[in-house]
Amino acid sequence: MITAVGHADLTSTTWDLVQAELRERMQGLPPDATVLVRPGAGLPLVFGRVVHEVGQRLVVLLPERGDAFADAPFHDRQAHRELLALAEQIRMLPFDPLDRDACVSADERLVSGCSRLLAVWDGSPSSGQDATAHMVAYARARGIAVEVVWPAGAAREPAGHTASLCVAGHRR
């Protein structure tokens, strides 16, 4: 299984670069490769679209609370629905997408169940809002292959540009 985590505060140009690189990496995989994502706008949706486009198997992990996305912003609810439509399989996972600690714990479970992690990461250390570095270290400590996806020309938005809820784009 493969999953992806990464910064959510990418510039629009960077999202295009990341999508192209993810597509290239996914096209080189065996046809039975399985990708695991949690629902949300940003990286989960971009990655889910790429996986579907190249014909790989997409599995979406959902929070067990059925109403977990009721209070999420509209674009996140749309992303959630689109990922469910693209998924070949849905798995339930106990976490609250509005609780940052629960999100990090869910991401750790997501990563620990995979053999490969694609990290959309500029190499910066973990901060209070962005735990990408933590997830990379977590994967490496468990012997999970980590591939950094940071194309030439990639950039992040200025600080404070995005919200910190993990449901709003996998804020890792």
Side-chain angles (χ1 to χ4, degrees):
M1 292 233 199
I2 302 164
T3 195
V5 298
H7 302 305
D9 58 352
L10 306 180
T11 65
S12 60
T13 302
T14 299
W15 278 117
D16 293 339
L17 295 170
V18 164
Q19 183 173 350
E21 187 166 333
L22 289 171
R23 184 178 298 110
E24 185 177 312
R25 290 176 189 237
M26 295 308 297
Q27 286 174 333
L29 295 176
D32 63 343
T34 300
V35 173
L36 203 53
V37 298
R38 285 197 299 109
L43 182 58
L45 182 57
V46 167
F47 194 39
R49 286 174 176 167
V50 166
V51 168
H52 182 73
E53 176 186 312
V54 300
Q56 299 293 353
R57 186 169 183 252
L58 179 65
V59 177
V60 175
L61 294 179
L62 285 180
E64 284 185 346
R65 250 187 56 217
D67 65 342
F69 290 90
D71 295 329
F74 180 72
H75 71 281
D76 292 314
R77 291 191 314 269
Q78 283 183 303
H80 175 142
R81 285 190 291 271
E82 183 176 342
L83 279 165
L84 291 178
L86 296 175
E88 285 190 28
Q89 183 180 9
I90 298 167
R91 293 185 188 168
M92 303 306 285
L93 182 66
F95 77 98
D96 178 354
L98 301 178
D99 176 348
R100 185 182 186 288
D101 291 337
C103 290
V104 171
S105 177
D107 280 347
E108 288 174 351
R109 285 179 280 175
L110 178 79
V111 169
S112 66
C114 292
S115 60
R116 183 174 170 190
L117 173 69
L118 301 177
V120 179
W121 180 46
D122 64 359
S124 63
S126 188
S127 70
Q129 297 298 312
D130 186 333
T132 303
H134 167 76
M135 298 314 302
V136 168
Y138 182 88
R140 287 178 174 159
R142 283 151 184 76
I144 297 166
V146 175
E147 294 179 32
V148 175
V149 177
W150 197 254
R156 295 171 71 183
E157 293 285 354
H161 181 72
T162 58
S164 63
L165 297 177
C166 67
V167 71
H170 222 252
R171 305 288 183 229
R172 303 285 127 239

